[in-house]
Coordinates of all heavy atoms in Angstrom, one line a residue:
M1145 N -57.7 26.6 -15.7 CA -57.7 25.9 -16.9 C -58.2 26.8 -18.0 O -59.2 27.5 -17.8 CB -58.5 24.6 -16.8 CG -58.4 23.7 -17.9 SD -59.2 22.1 -17.7 CE -57.7 21.2 -17.1
S1146 N -57.6 26.8 -19.1 CA -58.0 27.7 -20.2 C -59.1 27.1 -21.1 O -59.3 25.8 -21.0 CB -56.8 28.0 -21.1 OG -56.5 26.9 -21.9
I1147 N -59.8 27.9 -21.9 CA -60.8 27.4 -22.8 C -60.2 26.3 -23.7 O -60.8 25.3 -24.0 CB -61.5 28.5 -23.6 CG1 -62.4 29.3 -22.7 CG2 -62.2 27.9 -24.8 CD1 -63.1 30.4 -23.4
Q1148 N -59.0 26.6 -24.2 CA -58.3 25.6 -25.1 C -58.1 24.3 -24.4 O -58.2 23.2 -25.0 CB -57.0 26.1 -25.7 CG -56.5 25.3 -26.8 CD -57.5 25.0 -28.0 OE1 -58.0 26.0 -28.5 NE2 -57.7 23.8 -28.3
D1149 N -57.6 24.3 -23.1 CA -57.4 23.1 -22.4 C -58.7 22.3 -22.3 O -58.8 21.1 -22.4 CB -56.9 23.4 -21.0 CG -55.5 23.9 -21.0 OD1 -54.7 23.7 -21.9 OD2 -55.2 24.7 -20.0
L1150 N -59.8 23.0 -22.0 CA -61.2 22.4 -21.9 C -61.6 21.8 -23.3 O -62.2 20.7 -23.3 CB -62.2 23.3 -21.4 CG -62.0 23.8 -19.9 CD1 -62.9 24.9 -19.6 CD2 -62.2 22.6 -19.0
L1151 N -61.3 22.6 -24.4 CA -61.7 22.1 -25.7 C -60.9 20.8 -26.0 O -61.5 19.9 -26.6 CB -61.4 23.2 -26.7 CG -62.4 24.3 -26.8 CD1 -61.8 25.4 -27.7 CD2 -63.7 23.9 -27.3
D1152 N -59.6 20.8 -25.7 CA -58.8 19.6 -25.9 C -59.4 18.4 -25.1 O -59.5 17.3 -25.7 CB -57.4 19.8 -25.5 CG -56.7 20.9 -26.4 OD1 -57.2 21.2 -27.5 OD2 -55.6 21.4 -26.0
K1153 N -59.7 18.6 -23.9 CA -60.2 17.5 -23.1 C -61.6 17.0 -23.6 O -61.9 15.8 -23.7 CB -60.4 18.0 -21.6 CG -60.9 16.9 -20.7 CD -60.0 15.7 -20.5 CE -60.5 14.7 -19.5 NZ -59.7 13.5 -19.5
E1154 N -62.5 18.0 -24.0 CA -63.8 17.6 -24.6 C -63.6 16.8 -25.8 O -64.3 15.8 -26.0 CB -64.6 18.9 -24.8 CG -66.0 18.7 -25.4 CD -66.0 18.5 -26.9 OE1 -65.2 19.2 -27.6 OE2 -66.9 17.8 -27.4
A1155 N -62.6 17.2 -26.7 CA -62.4 16.5 -27.9 C -61.9 15.1 -27.6 O -62.3 14.1 -28.3 CB -61.4 17.3 -28.8
Q1156 N -61.0 14.9 -26.7 CA -60.5 13.6 -26.3 C -61.6 12.7 -25.9 O -61.7 11.5 -26.3 CB -59.5 13.7 -25.2 CG -58.2 14.3 -25.6 CD -57.2 14.6 -24.4 OE1 -57.6 14.5 -23.3 NE2 -56.0 15.0 -24.7
L1157 N -62.5 13.2 -25.0 CA -63.6 12.4 -24.6 C -64.6 12.0 -25.7 O -65.0 10.9 -25.8 CB -64.4 13.1 -23.5 CG -63.7 13.3 -22.1 CD1 -64.5 14.3 -21.2 CD2 -63.5 12.0 -21.5
S1158 N -64.9 13.0 -26.5 CA -65.8 12.8 -27.7 C -65.2 11.8 -28.6 O -65.9 10.9 -29.1 CB -66.1 14.1 -28.4 OG -67.0 13.9 -29.4
N1159 N -63.9 11.9 -28.9 CA -63.2 11.0 -29.9 C -63.1 9.6 -29.3 O -63.0 8.6 -30.0 CB -61.8 11.5 -30.3 CG -61.9 12.8 -31.1 OD1 -62.9 13.0 -31.8 ND2 -60.9 13.5 -31.1
A1160 N -63.1 9.5 -28.0 CA -63.1 8.1 -27.3 C -64.4 7.5 -27.2 O -64.6 6.5 -26.5 CB -62.4 8.3 -26.0
G1161 N -65.5 8.1 -27.8 CA -66.8 7.6 -27.7 C -67.5 7.9 -26.5 O -68.5 7.2 -26.1
Q1162 N -67.1 8.9 -25.7 CA -67.8 9.2 -24.5 C -68.5 10.5 -24.6 O -68.5 11.4 -23.7 CB -66.7 9.3 -23.4 CG -66.0 8.0 -23.1 CD -64.9 8.1 -22.0 OE1 -65.0 9.0 -21.2 NE2 -63.9 7.3 -22.1
G1163 N -69.2 10.7 -25.7 CA -69.9 11.9 -26.0 C -71.0 12.3 -25.1 O -71.4 13.5 -24.9
D1164 N -71.6 11.3 -24.4 CA -72.7 11.6 -23.5 C -72.3 11.5 -22.0 O -73.2 11.5 -21.1 CB -73.8 10.6 -23.8 CG -74.5 10.9 -25.1 OD1 -74.5 12.0 -25.6 OD2 -75.0 9.9 -25.7
C1165 N -71.0 11.4 -21.7 CA -70.6 11.2 -20.3 C -70.8 12.5 -19.5 O -70.7 13.6 -20.1 CB -69.2 10.7 -20.2 SG -67.9 11.9 -20.5
A1166 N -70.9 12.3 -18.2 CA -71.2 13.5 -17.3 C -70.0 14.4 -17.4 O -70.1 15.6 -17.3 CB -71.4 13.0 -15.9
E1167 N -68.7 13.9 -17.4 CA -67.6 14.7 -17.4 C -67.5 15.6 -18.6 O -67.2 16.8 -18.5 CB -66.3 13.9 -17.4 CG -65.0 14.7 -17.3 CD -63.7 13.9 -17.3 OE1 -63.8 12.6 -17.5 OE2 -62.7 14.5 -17.2
R1168 N -67.9 15.1 -19.8 CA -67.9 15.9 -21.0 C -69.0 17.0 -20.9 O -68.8 18.2 -21.3 CB -68.2 15.1 -22.3 CG -68.2 15.9 -23.5 CD -68.3 15.0 -24.8 NE -68.4 15.9 -25.9 CZ -69.6 16.2 -26.5 NH1 -70.7 15.7 -26.0 NH2 -69.6 17.0 -27.6
Q1169 N -70.1 16.7 -20.3 CA -71.2 17.7 -20.2 C -70.8 18.8 -19.2 O -71.1 20.0 -19.5 CB -72.5 17.0 -19.7 CG -73.1 16.1 -20.7 CD -73.3 16.7 -22.1 OE1 -73.8 17.8 -22.2 NE2 -72.9 15.9 -23.1
E1170 N -70.0 18.5 -18.2 CA -69.5 19.5 -17.3 C -68.5 20.4 -18.0 O -68.5 21.6 -17.8 CB -68.8 18.8 -16.1 CG -69.8 18.1 -15.1 CD -69.1 17.3 -14.0 OE1 -67.9 17.5 -13.9 OE2 -69.8 16.6 -13.3
I1171 N -67.7 19.8 -18.8 CA -66.7 20.6 -19.6 C -67.4 21.5 -20.5 O -67.1 22.7 -20.7 CB -65.7 19.7 -20.4 CG1 -64.8 18.9 -19.4 CG2 -64.9 20.4 -21.4 CD1 -64.0 17.8 -20.0
L1172 N -68.4 21.0 -21.2 CA -69.2 21.9 -22.2 C -69.8 23.1 -21.4 O -69.9 24.2 -21.9 CB -70.3 21.1 -22.9 CG -69.7 20.0 -23.9 CD1 -70.9 19.3 -24.5 CD2 -68.8 20.6 -24.9
T1173 N -70.4 22.8 -20.3 CA -71.0 23.9 -19.4 C -69.9 24.9 -19.1 O -70.2 26.1 -19.1 CB -71.6 23.3 -18.2 OG1 -72.7 22.4 -18.6 CG2 -72.2 24.4 -17.3
A1174 N -68.7 24.4 -18.6 CA -67.7 25.4 -18.3 C -67.2 26.2 -19.4 O -67.0 27.4 -19.3 CB -66.5 24.6 -17.7
I1175 N -67.1 25.6 -20.6 CA -66.7 26.3 -21.8 C -67.8 27.4 -22.1 O -67.4 28.5 -22.4 CB -66.5 25.4 -23.0 CG1 -65.3 24.5 -22.8 CG2 -66.4 26.2 -24.3 CD1 -65.1 23.4 -23.8
R1176 N -69.1 27.0 -22.1 CA -70.1 28.0 -22.4 C -70.1 29.2 -21.4 O -70.3 30.3 -21.8 CB -71.5 27.3 -22.3 CG -71.8 26.4 -23.4 CD -73.2 25.8 -23.4 NE -73.4 24.9 -24.5 CZ -73.5 23.6 -24.3 NH1 -73.6 23.0 -23.2 NH2 -73.7 22.8 -25.4
L1177 N -69.7 28.9 -20.1 CA -69.6 30.0 -19.2 C -68.4 30.9 -19.4 O -68.5 32.1 -19.2 CB -69.6 29.4 -17.8 CG -70.9 28.8 -17.3 CD1 -70.6 28.1 -15.9 CD2 -72.0 29.8 -17.1
M1178 N -67.3 30.3 -19.9 CA -66.1 31.1 -20.1 C -66.0 31.8 -21.4 O -65.3 32.8 -21.5 CB -64.9 30.1 -20.0 CG -64.7 29.5 -18.6 SD -63.4 28.3 -18.6 CE -61.9 29.3 -19.0
R1179 N -66.7 31.3 -22.4 CA -66.4 31.8 -23.8 C -66.9 33.2 -24.1 O -66.4 33.9 -25.0 CB -67.0 30.9 -24.8 CG -68.5 30.8 -24.9 CD -68.9 29.8 -25.8 NE -70.4 29.7 -25.8 CZ -71.1 28.8 -26.4 NH1 -70.5 27.8 -27.0 NH2 -72.4 28.8 -26.3
G1180 N -67.9 33.7 -23.4 CA -68.4 35.0 -23.6 C -69.2 35.1 -24.9 O -69.5 34.1 -25.5
Q1181 N -69.5 36.3 -25.3 CA -70.3 36.6 -26.5 C -69.7 37.7 -27.3 O -69.0 38.5 -26.7 CB -71.8 36.9 -26.1 CG -72.5 35.8 -25.4 CD -72.7 34.6 -26.3 OE1 -72.8 34.7 -27.5 NE2 -72.8 33.4 -25.7
P1182 N -70.0 38.0 -28.5 CA -70.7 37.1 -29.4 C -69.8 36.1 -30.1 O -68.6 36.1 -29.9 CB -71.2 38.1 -30.5 CG -70.0 39.1 -30.5 CD -69.5 39.2 -29.1
A1183 N -70.5 35.2 -30.8 CA -69.8 34.1 -31.5 C -69.0 34.8 -32.7 O -69.3 35.8 -33.2 CB -70.8 33.1 -32.1
P1184 N -67.9 34.1 -33.1 CA -67.1 34.7 -34.2 C -67.9 34.7 -35.5 O -68.9 34.0 -35.6 CB -65.9 33.7 -34.4 CG -66.1 32.6 -33.4 CD -67.3 32.9 -32.5
V1185 N -67.5 35.6 -36.4 CA -68.2 35.8 -37.6 C -68.4 34.5 -38.4 O -69.4 34.3 -39.0 CB -67.4 36.8 -38.5 CG1 -68.1 37.0 -39.9 CG2 -67.4 38.2 -37.8
C1186 N -67.4 33.6 -38.4 CA -67.6 32.4 -39.2 C -68.4 31.3 -38.5 O -68.6 30.3 -39.1 CB -66.2 31.8 -39.5 SG -65.4 31.0 -38.1
F1187 N -68.9 31.6 -37.3 CA -69.7 30.6 -36.6 C -70.9 30.1 -37.5 O -71.7 30.9 -38.0 CB -70.3 31.2 -35.3 CG -71.2 30.2 -34.6 CD1 -70.7 29.1 -34.0 CD2 -72.5 30.6 -34.4 CE1 -71.6 28.2 -33.4 CE2 -73.4 29.7 -33.7 CZ -72.9 28.5 -33.2
G1188 N -70.9 28.8 -37.7 CA -72.0 28.2 -38.5 C -71.8 28.2 -40.0 O -72.6 27.7 -40.7
E1189 N -70.7 28.9 -40.4 CA -70.4 28.9 -41.9 C -69.7 27.7 -42.3 O -68.9 27.1 -41.6 CB -69.6 30.2 -42.2 CG -70.4 31.5 -41.9 CD -71.6 31.7 -42.7 OE1 -71.6 31.2 -43.9 OE2 -72.5 32.3 -42.2
D1190 N -69.9 27.3 -43.5 CA -69.3 26.1 -44.1 C -67.8 26.3 -44.4 O -67.1 25.3 -44.5 CB -70.0 25.6 -45.4 CG -71.4 25.0 -45.1 OD1 -71.6 24.6 -43.9 OD2 -72.2 25.1 -46.0
D1191 N -67.4 27.5 -44.5 CA -66.0 27.8 -44.9 C -65.0 27.9 -43.7 O -63.9 28.3 -43.9 CB -65.9 29.1 -45.8 CG -66.3 30.3 -45.0 OD1 -66.9 30.2 -43.9 OD2 -66.1 31.4 -45.5
C1192 N -65.4 27.6 -42.5 CA -64.5 27.6 -41.4 C -63.5 26.5 -41.6 O -63.8 25.4 -42.0 CB -65.2 27.3 -40.1 SG -66.2 28.7 -39.5
S1193 N -62.2 26.8 -41.4 CA -61.2 25.8 -41.5 C -61.2 24.9 -40.4 O -61.7 25.1 -39.3 CB -59.8 26.6 -41.5 OG -59.5 27.1 -40.3
T1194 N -60.6 23.7 -40.6 CA -60.5 22.7 -39.6 C -59.7 23.3 -38.4 O -60.0 23.0 -37.2 CB -59.8 21.4 -40.1 OG1 -60.6 20.9 -41.2 CG2 -59.7 20.4 -39.0
S1195 N -58.7 24.0 -38.7 CA -57.9 24.6 -37.6 C -58.7 25.6 -36.8 O -58.7 25.5 -35.5 CB -56.7 25.4 -38.2 OG -56.0 26.1 -37.2
M1196 N -59.5 26.4 -37.4 CA -60.4 27.3 -36.7 C -61.4 26.6 -35.8 O -61.6 26.9 -34.7 CB -61.1 28.2 -37.7 CG -62.2 29.1 -37.1 SD -61.6 30.2 -35.8 CE -63.1 31.0 -35.3
L1197 N -62.0 25.5 -36.4 CA -63.0 24.8 -35.7 C -62.4 24.0 -34.5 O -63.0 23.9 -33.5 CB -63.7 23.8 -36.6 CG -64.7 24.4 -37.6 CD1 -65.2 23.4 -38.5 CD2 -65.8 25.2 -36.9
S1198 N -61.2 23.6 -34.6 CA -60.5 22.9 -33.5 C -60.2 23.7 -32.3 O -60.1 23.2 -31.2 CB -59.2 22.2 -34.0 OG -58.2 23.2 -34.2
T1199 N -60.2 25.0 -32.5 CA -60.0 26.0 -31.4 C -61.2 26.9 -31.1 O -61.0 27.8 -30.3 CB -58.7 26.8 -31.7 OG1 -59.0 27.6 -32.9 CG2 -57.5 26.0 -31.9
C1200 N -62.3 26.5 -31.7 CA -63.5 27.4 -31.5 C -64.4 26.9 -30.4 O -64.9 25.8 -30.4 CB -64.3 27.4 -32.8 SG -65.8 28.4 -32.8
P1201 N -64.6 27.8 -29.4 CA -65.4 27.4 -28.2 C -66.9 27.4 -28.6 O -67.7 27.1 -27.7 CB -65.1 28.4 -27.2 CG -64.6 29.6 -27.9 CD -64.0 29.1 -29.2
W1202 N -67.3 27.7 -29.8 CA -68.7 27.6 -30.2 C -69.0 26.4 -31.0 O -70.1 26.2 -31.4 CB -69.1 28.9 -31.0 CG -69.2 30.1 -30.1 CD1 -70.4 30.5 -29.6 CD2 -68.3 31.0 -29.7 NE1 -70.2 31.6 -28.8 CE2 -68.9 32.0 -28.9 CE3 -66.9 31.1 -30.0 CZ2 -68.2 33.0 -28.3 CZ3 -66.2 32.2 -29.4 CH2 -66.9 33.1 -28.6
R1203 N -68.0 25.6 -31.4 CA -68.1 24.5 -32.4 C -69.2 23.5 -32.0 O -69.9 23.0 -32.8 CB -66.8 23.8 -32.6 CG -66.3 23.0 -31.5 CD -65.1 22.2 -31.8 NE -64.7 21.4 -30.7 CZ -63.6 21.4 -30.1 NH1 -62.6 22.2 -30.5 NH2 -63.3 20.5 -29.1
F1204 N -69.3 23.2 -30.7 CA -70.3 22.1 -30.3 C -71.7 22.7 -30.2 O -72.6 21.9 -30.1 CB -69.9 21.5 -29.0 CG -69.5 22.5 -27.9 CD1 -70.5 23.1 -27.1 CD2 -68.2 22.9 -27.7 CE1 -70.2 24.0 -26.2 CE2 -67.9 23.8 -26.7 CZ -68.9 24.3 -25.9
D1205 N -71.9 24.0 -30.4 CA -73.2 24.6 -30.4 C -73.7 25.0 -31.8 O -74.7 25.6 -31.9 CB -73.3 25.8 -29.5 CG -73.3 25.4 -28.0 OD1 -73.6 24.3 -27.7 OD2 -72.9 26.3 -27.2
C1206 N -72.9 24.6 -32.8 CA -73.2 25.1 -34.1 C -74.6 24.6 -34.5 O -74.9 23.4 -34.4 CB -72.1 24.5 -35.1 SG -72.3 25.1 -36.8
G1207 N -75.4 25.5 -34.9 CA -76.8 25.2 -35.3 C -77.7 25.0 -34.2 O -78.9 24.8 -34.4
G1208 N -77.2 25.1 -32.9 CA -78.1 25.0 -31.8 C -78.4 26.3 -31.1 O -77.9 27.3 -31.5
V1209 N -79.3 26.3 -30.2 CA -79.7 27.5 -29.4 C -79.4 27.2 -28.0 O -80.0 26.2 -27.4 CB -81.2 27.8 -29.7 CG1 -81.6 29.0 -28.8 CG2 -81.4 28.1 -31.1
Y1210 N -78.6 28.0 -27.3 CA -78.2 27.8 -25.9 C -78.3 29.1 -25.2 O -78.0 30.1 -25.6 CB -76.8 27.2 -25.8 CG -76.8 25.8 -26.3 CD1 -76.5 25.5 -27.6 CD2 -77.1 24.7 -25.4 CE1 -76.4 24.2 -28.0 CE2 -77.1 23.4 -25.9 CZ -76.8 23.1 -27.2 OH -76.7 21.9 -27.6

């Protein structure tokens, strides 16, 4: 499964109001393991486009420390 597939599944769960479910947390962990480093230049910036954010494996960690 690709990072984008995982991002899509995570978004579906989150949009369905299942933001705290165990399956979503497992997906987030898998994405964190797969995404590598460093974060893109626009990470955390207000000017990121919706399109960029929808495909960004760092979006759910914006402003956090992991």
Side-chain angles (χ1 to χ4, degrees):
M1145 189 170 266
S1146 72
I1147 287 179
Q1148 189 58 53
D1149 292 334
L1150 293 171
L1151 287 168
D1152 292 344
K1153 180 65 176 171
E1154 181 273 329
Q1156 290 172 350
L1157 291 170
S1158 186
N1159 290 337
Q1162 298 179 25
D1164 292 331
C1165 75
E1167 182 181 8
R1168 181 172 175 266
Q1169 295 307 313
E1170 289 174 12
I1171 291 170
L1172 294 178
T1173 299
I1175 292 170
R1176 286 183 183 114
L1177 292 172
M1178 293 174 68
R1179 69 185 178 191
Q1181 295 296 334
V1185 173
C1186 75
F1187 175 66
E1189 297 294 329
D1190 291 335
D1191 64 349
C1192 284
S1193 70
T1194 301
S1195 175
M1196 171 60 183
L1197 289 175
S1198 71
T1199 61
C1200 180
W1202 284 269
R1203 69 175 186 235
F1204 49 83
D1205 286 339
C1206 186
V1209 177
Y1210 292 91

